[in-house]
Amino acid sequence: FVSNNCSKSMDEYFYKFNEIMKVGPISGAQIYTSGLSCAKIYKEKNSNPETEKVFLIGTEGLAKTLCDSGVETFGLNRLERRDTHYWKDWEVDKRVKYVVVSYDPLFNNSKLTEAYLYLKENNAEFIAPDCDALFSPTRERQVPGALMMQIGLMTLLDRKPVVLGKPERHLFDLIESEHGPMDPSRTVMVGDNYNTDMKFGFNCNIRTCLVTTGNAAPSDVEGFPRKPDYVLDSILQHFWMSNFRFNLYGGL
């Protein structure tokens, strides 16, 4: 399972699959989130974890995923209201070299301003576990996602973050590093989102299968610039995928 939803910790995912959905036993080697990709890239880049700090805009679940992977963060408690006078003499911590921005239900101007100052004055690395514009709490409704937390910084700084989730291939590289090379002819990415799931498959040069029961409707397919290899009306039709060695599923 390959997900851009890094708001949950790995323990929460295990509970969801094994206790609620009863599709287990599911182990850590079967769930890969953009939060895990974030931790992997950070540890590859950071040679001084004792002296270089990570400011996080995100959820407690993402903070726990990073912490469990050996990446300490701070910033979740920035909930107080700070007016413009507060920032006049505020000292920027020069040890902050990374700013991770993801979906944050408690996002506020204080967090935005602090992130901006680290990125602007420290030239900190701007990291986005995902850049999803919307996510779906139900099939009938979409609400703003992580991109809404990132767009202000992108505009002010005229700078794009390093995106570690789908559709970029960092998660695919992480899976291959743990499971070995995947045969593209026997690997398929299954998901309901064209902009993340299908483009992830395209970028990884593997087969793609769009399920039209979520973000994409059957009528959308003709308008796509590149068509998925397969289109299903329901995930229940996926029995034929036994021909594939690796099935990657999105939409957790």
Side-chain angles (χ1 to χ4, degrees), residues 3-10 12-13 32-38 56-66 100-103 128-130 132 146 150 252:
S3 179
N4 271 2
N5 184 358
C6 58
S7 63
K8 295 182 175 68
S9 68
M10 299 308 295
E12 289 175 303
Y13 271 123
Y32 292 86
T33 72
S34 54
L36 289 177
S37 181
C38 184
L56 173 66
I57 293 177
T59 63
E60 291 184 2
L62 175 56
K64 187 175 188 306
T65 296
L66 293 173
V100 177
V101 184
S102 185
Y103 172 73
D130 71 275
D132 291 3
Q150 299 153 355
L252 300 185

Side-chain angles (χ1 to χ4, degrees), residues 118-187:
Y118 292 137
L119 292 167
K120 179 72 172 180
E121 298 188 16
N122 287 3
N123 195 30
E125 183 114 30
F126 187 7
I127 297 175
D130 71 275
C131 277
D132 291 3
L134 299 165
F135 71 93
S136 303
T138 68
R139 289 185 179 181
E140 294 78 24
R141 174 169 291 170
Q142 292 185 315
V143 296
L147 182 61
M148 297 302 102
M149 277 89 249
Q150 299 153 355
I151 195 70
L153 295 169
M154 294 164 65
T155 302
L156 291 170
L157 296 160
D158 192 23
R159 179 176 165 192
K160 293 182 178 180
V162 177
V163 181
L164 300 179
K166 298 175 293 186
E168 305 303 323
R169 61 170 291 139
H170 296 290
L171 278 168
F172 189 80
D173 294 336
L174 176 59
I175 295 170
E176 284 202 314
S177 72
E178 297 188 0
H179 291 275
M182 288 186 274
D183 181 353
S185 68
R186 300 193 63 196
T187 305

Side-chain angles (χ1 to χ4, degrees), residues 63-79:
K64 187 175 188 306
T65 296
L66 293 173
C67 181
D68 290 346
S69 300
V71 181
E72 296 291 338
T73 65
F74 74 102
L76 288 186
N77 62 342
R78 301 297 198 262
L79 303 180

Side-chain angles (χ1 to χ4, degrees), residues 1-251:
F1 298 92
V2 185
S3 179
N4 271 2
N5 184 358
C6 58
S7 63
K8 295 182 175 68
S9 68
M10 299 308 295
D11 289 341
E12 289 175 303
Y13 271 123
F14 298 148
Y15 181 79
K16 175 180 178 180
F17 278 98
N18 296 328
E19 303 299 328
I20 299 177
M21 298 175 66
K22 303 295 185 181
V23 296
I26 297 293
S27 70
Q30 293 169 283
I31 300 176
Y32 292 86
T33 72
S34 54
L36 289 177
S37 181
C38 184
K40 177 177 183 291
I41 294 297
Y42 168 80
K43 288 191 287 187
E44 288 177 353
K45 286 176 172 285
N46 186 8
S47 58
N48 299 297
E50 300 299 322
T51 59
E52 296 186 355
K53 298 175 67 175
V54 182
F55 180 73
L56 173 66
I57 293 177
T59 63
E60 291 184 2
L62 175 56
K64 187 175 188 306
T65 296
L66 293 173
C67 181
D68 290 346
S69 300
V71 181
E72 296 291 338
T73 65
F74 74 102
L76 288 186
N77 62 342
R78 301 297 198 262
L79 303 180
E80 65 273 23
R81 182 177 180 271
R82 298 167 172 173
D83 60 25
T84 53
H85 296 289
Y86 175 88
W87 301 104
K88 183 178 66 171
D89 299 316
W90 187 76
E91 186 174 348
V92 174
D93 187 341
K94 298 301 181 183
R95 295 172 297 173
V96 179
K97 301 299 182 183
Y98 300 88
V99 174
V100 177
V101 184
S102 185
Y103 172 73
D104 186 343
L106 301 177
F107 183 70
N108 59 38
N109 187 67
S110 292
K111 293 183 179 183
L112 175 69
T113 302
E114 190 166 346
Y116 169 80
L117 291 173
Y118 292 137
L119 292 167
K120 179 72 172 180
E121 298 188 16
N122 287 3
N123 195 30
E125 183 114 30
F126 187 7
I127 297 175
D130 71 275
C131 277
D132 291 3
L134 299 165
F135 71 93
S136 303
T138 68
R139 289 185 179 181
E140 294 78 24
R141 174 169 291 170
Q142 292 185 315
V143 296
L147 182 61
M148 297 302 102
M149 277 89 249
Q150 299 153 355
I151 195 70
L153 295 169
M154 294 164 65
T155 302
L156 291 170
L157 296 160
D158 192 23
R159 179 176 165 192
K160 293 182 178 180
V162 177
V163 181
L164 300 179
K166 298 175 293 186
E168 305 303 323
R169 61 170 291 139
H170 296 290
L171 278 168
F172 189 80
D173 294 336
L174 176 59
I175 295 170
E176 284 202 314
S177 72
E178 297 188 0
H179 291 275
M182 288 186 274
D183 181 353
S185 68
R186 300 193 63 196
T187 305
V188 60
M189 178 66 210
V190 184
D192 66 354
N193 191 312
Y194 181 83
N195 287 321
T196 56
D197 299 323
M198 297 303 99
K199 289 183 178 180
F200 176 73
F202 300 155
N203 288 337
C204 298
N205 298 312
I206 58 177
R207 303 291 182 86
T208 52
C209 177
L210 181 70
V211 182
T212 59
T213 54
N215 287 288
S219 58
D220 296 331
V221 176
E222 285 304 312
F224 292 149
R226 178 176 173 179
K227 305 296 188 292
D229 294 296
Y230 311 100
V231 178
L232 302 182
D233 295 329
S234 168
I235 192 63
L236 298 178
Q237 295 178 325
H238 83 302
F239 65 89
W240 53 270
M241 291 181 190
S242 59
N243 293 326
F244 291 98
R245 173 67 179 85
F246 293 98
N247 296 339
L248 306 180
Y249 297 93

